[in-house]
Amino acid sequence: MVIDTHCHLADEAYDPDRPEVLSRAWAAGLVRIVAIGESPATAERALVLATAEPRISVAAGVHPHHAGEWSDDVRRWLEATLRRPEVVAAGEMGLDYHYDHAPRDTQRSAFEAQLALARTAGKAAVIHAREADDDVAAILRSHPDVPAVLHSFSSGPRLLRAGLDLRHYVSFSGMVTFKNWHLDQAILDTPLDRILVETDGPYLAPVPHRGRRNEPAFVVRVAERIAAVRGLPVGELMAATAANAARVFGFPSL
Ligand SMILES: [Zn+2]
């Protein structure tokens, strides 16, 4: 029993064989997948998937790469979309100062506007942070009542501490299986009732699939690595992370 809390399931990478991808996921023991809509177009595609398959939930928002597209129309779309029951979170949203695809002040205002909408809707926020730890921490501190997920965590200890102090959740991806992963301390420092697991598919496939397309079934590799770091049976780690996902995203309890 495990949940992939972050997969870009509407991505065209899955268009050739999405039914087989989903069959492999359920066969691997997944009970739910959160399909990430990182733009209005992908969120609408994810909603079509969720309508056809009740084990798929959706996060809808505007990724920092697309922050330049934030507008009053997009705000109205997100406000309405967050009311839909299949939509369990706003996002992914956040700040990416590595790629800087949108100006940083534009990224910050789109991020804050989405947090405000998540708060109004009573839904969680899925956060992308890259080379922007201190600004992400400051913005999260100014929106303390939105439950947040630090997705594909690979940030520094200050953002980890800020997130945990705010009672947020930390989601680990296939990066934890990479040879150059050096943040086992973050896995150990995150309380068991705050850890989530994800693939971030189609990106970041875990070892031994690294370099190929990632898919939800591979979240088992992520869970195995985290269980090993923490010295826990993998079943126990999976059950804890599934319960955490149910809590933060408001799934019916398992
Ligand atoms: Zn993502």
Side-chain angles (χ1 to χ4, degrees):
M1 176 170 84
V2 63
I3 294 176
D4 182 358
T5 62
H6 192 115
C7 180
H8 295 264
L9 202 55
D11 193 280
E12 62 188 17
Y14 299 115
D15 285 352
D17 61 344
R18 194 173 284 103
E20 289 77 13
V21 167
L22 290 173
S23 300
R24 286 194 290 273
W26 314 135
L30 276 75
V31 291
R32 189 168 288 278
I33 299 166
V34 180
I36 301 297
E38 73 276 12
S39 66
T42 53
E44 290 297 333
R45 291 183 44 163
L47 277 160
V48 172
L49 301 176
T51 303
E53 169 53 70
R55 288 172 285 185
I56 296 173
S57 298
V58 174
V62 176
H63 192 284
H65 290 349
H66 304 294
E69 296 159 33
W70 185 257
S71 65
D72 283 343
D73 279 352
V74 172
R75 178 199 309 274
R76 279 190 288 273
W77 164 81
L78 184 56
E79 190 174 27
T81 301
L82 288 176
R83 287 195 206 107
R84 295 183 58 161
E86 311 94 309
V87 177
V88 296
E92 66 181 280
M93 63 173 82
L95 303 177
D96 193 314
Y97 294 171
H98 178 76
Y99 286 107
D100 279 325
H101 285 331
R104 292 179 180 184
D105 57 339
T106 306
Q107 292 189 41
R108 286 191 289 266
S109 52
F111 182 18
E112 295 216 66
Q114 292 180 84
L115 284 169
L117 291 178
R119 181 180 189 277
T120 305
K123 298 213 168 155
V126 176
I127 311 297
H128 171 108
R130 187 146 183 213
E131 294 176 22
D133 286 16
D134 290 343
D135 282 5
V136 169
I139 288 173
L140 290 177
R141 277 196 203 93
S142 61
H143 300 264
D145 42 8
V146 180
V149 174
L150 299 174
H151 121 79
S152 193
F153 187 82
S154 61
S155 295
R158 286 204 305 278
L159 180 54
L160 181 68
R161 183 40 53 204
L164 293 175
D165 285 349
L166 289 160
R167 304 285 293 153
H168 291 330
Y169 292 79
V170 183
S171 183
F172 293 97
S173 70
M175 290 174 79
V176 300
T177 68
F178 295 175
K179 271 204 185 68
N180 59 356
W181 172 258
H182 61 285
L183 295 171
D184 277 355
Q185 195 58 47
I187 296 173
L188 292 166
D189 287 346
T190 303
L192 187 58
D193 69 351
R194 298 286 130 183
I195 297 183
L196 301 174
V197 288
E198 65 170 84
T199 57
D200 204 15
Y203 317 107
L204 298 176
V207 173
H209 310 285
R210 190 168 184 189
R212 298 202 290 273
R213 182 187 70 176
N214 199 357
E215 64 175 64
F218 300 165
V219 79
V220 174
R221 301 280 91 77
V222 179
E224 286 169 348
R225 171 79 176 97
I226 291 176
V229 171
R230 295 184 68 103
L232 280 177
V234 68
E236 198 176 309
L237 186 279
M238 286 178 174
T241 57
N244 297 341
R247 195 182 319 117
V248 65
F249 293 125
F251 302 144
S253 52
L254 299 160

